[in-house]
């Protein structure tokens, strides 16, 4: 009705200090593609076999001195990505994301207590190239991939195990903002996607 202002309850999330977590190494996860061209060729083969590809990725956040930091996987020195990956045919988003997070970050043969939160955004890949859009272009009837980005509530503490050929780094959100040159256009949008969240900064445990 005119004149009535409706309130909006922003999602809340507890952020725990980075010092609550220990970081260890485990067996490497071999990358399936040696180049971007090989990656797109493999995507084409998979698309021909099963249709549109579906991927899920998680935004995992901790804090340092009450400032949010996003956990990113770094391959080599210049390529960054969110933890996650491609779903198996028929696999649901939540189960698939938990599987991928455990594959990338849990101890060998174990599972961590991941709580999958809000869907933050869908990104669509219209063609077999690097273009990814947060909307479906009207002329595209058969997108090649849908990437879903979820907020993931971190456990209060955990032993995290990272494949030894990858690096897990905590990047402050001010470093990501509009920094597509370094982190790519998708990761550079994360600070904007987080703008609707209210964060509760949990202090480090008393010694």
């Amino acid at each position: 009705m005119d004149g009535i202002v409706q309130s909006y309850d922003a999602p809340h999330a507890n952020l725990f200090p980075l010092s609550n977590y220990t970081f260890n190494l485990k067996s490497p996860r071999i990358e399936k593609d040696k180049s971007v061209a090989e990656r797109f060729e493999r995507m084409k083969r998979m698309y021909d076999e099963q249709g549109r590809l579906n991927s899920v990725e998680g935004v995992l956040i901790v804090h340092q001195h009450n400032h949010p930091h996003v956990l990113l996987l770094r391959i080599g020195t210049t390529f960054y990505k969110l933890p996650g990956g491609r779903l198996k045919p028929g696999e649901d988003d939540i189960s698939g994301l938990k599987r991928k997070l455990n594959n990338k970050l849990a101890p060998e043969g174990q599972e961590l207590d991941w709580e999958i939160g809000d869907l933050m955004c869908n990104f669509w890949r219209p063609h077999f190239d690097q273009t990814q859009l947060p909307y479906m272009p009207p002329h595209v009837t058969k997108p090649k991939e849908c990437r879903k980005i979820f907020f993931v509530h971190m456990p209060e503490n955990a032993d995290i195990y990272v494949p030894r050929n990858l690096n897990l780094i905590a990047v402050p959100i001010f470093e990501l903002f509009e920094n597509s040159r370094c982190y790519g256009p998708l990761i550079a949008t994360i600070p904007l996607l987080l703008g609707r969240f209210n964060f509760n900064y949990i202090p480090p445990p008393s010694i």
Side-chain angles (χ1 to χ4, degrees):
M1 296 176 61
D2 293 342
I4 296 179
V5 178
Q6 296 183 346
S7 62
Y8 168 70
D9 293 328
H12 287 69
N14 290 334
L15 299 190
F16 299 100
L18 181 62
S19 57
N20 276 27
Y21 307 93
T22 62
F23 298 91
N24 312 275
L25 296 176
K26 63 181 180 180
S27 300
R29 297 296 184 268
I30 305 303
E31 291 294 314
K32 297 178 180 178
D33 309 303
K34 296 180 180 180
S35 67
V36 173
E38 284 189 15
R39 179 167 175 253
F40 288 132
E41 284 300 320
R42 184 166 62 88
M43 288 180 66
K44 289 178 182 178
R45 293 194 298 270
M46 295 177 66
Y47 180 87
D48 290 339
E49 294 172 0
Q50 63 190 51
R52 190 189 77 194
L53 307 177
N54 297 290
S55 300
V56 287
E57 296 166 43
V59 176
L60 285 63
I61 303 184
V62 297
H63 80 83
Q64 285 189 289
H65 309 295
N66 291 349
H67 189 78
H69 286 58
V70 179
L71 297 182
L72 297 177
L73 289 168
R74 185 178 66 195
I75 303 173
T77 59
T78 59
F79 182 74
Y80 300 86
K81 66 179 183 179
L82 294 168
R86 194 157 291 133
L87 295 175
K88 297 177 180 178
E91 187 175 32
D92 69 87
D93 296 338
I94 304 303
S95 298
L97 181 52
K98 288 183 177 181
R99 175 178 62 83
K100 286 294 185 179
L101 291 175
N102 284 321
N103 180 268
K104 292 291 196 304
L105 302 176
E108 299 279 7
Q110 299 182 37
E111 296 182 356
L112 295 179
D113 184 22
W114 305 109
E115 180 185 347
I116 310 303
D118 287 10
L119 174 64
M120 299 175 66
C121 192
N122 291 330
F123 283 88
W124 300 91
R125 192 187 301 275
H127 310 290
F128 293 113
D129 58 30
Q130 298 193 52
T131 301
Q132 297 171 83
L133 304 170
Y135 58 89
M136 177 75 78
H139 65 279
V140 175
T141 58
K142 294 182 178 180
K144 306 308 183 245
E145 183 181 25
C146 176
R147 294 176 66 183
K148 294 184 178 181
I149 312 300
F150 287 88
F151 187 92
V152 178
H153 297 271
M154 292 284 288
E156 183 175 355
N157 48 66
D159 294 324
I160 294 176
Y161 282 72
V162 183
R164 63 179 60 255
N165 59 321
L166 302 176
N167 290 292
L168 185 68
I169 60 173
V171 183
I173 59 171
F174 67 78
E175 170 70 16
L176 300 178
F177 183 57
E178 294 187 338
N179 193 355
S180 59
R181 181 183 62 83
C182 181
Y183 296 100
L186 189 153
I187 292 176
T189 66
I190 288 176
L192 294 174
L193 299 176
L194 292 173
R196 66 189 183 92
F197 285 79
N198 285 331
F199 293 134
N200 181 28
Y201 298 97
I202 308 300
S206 301
I207 299 177

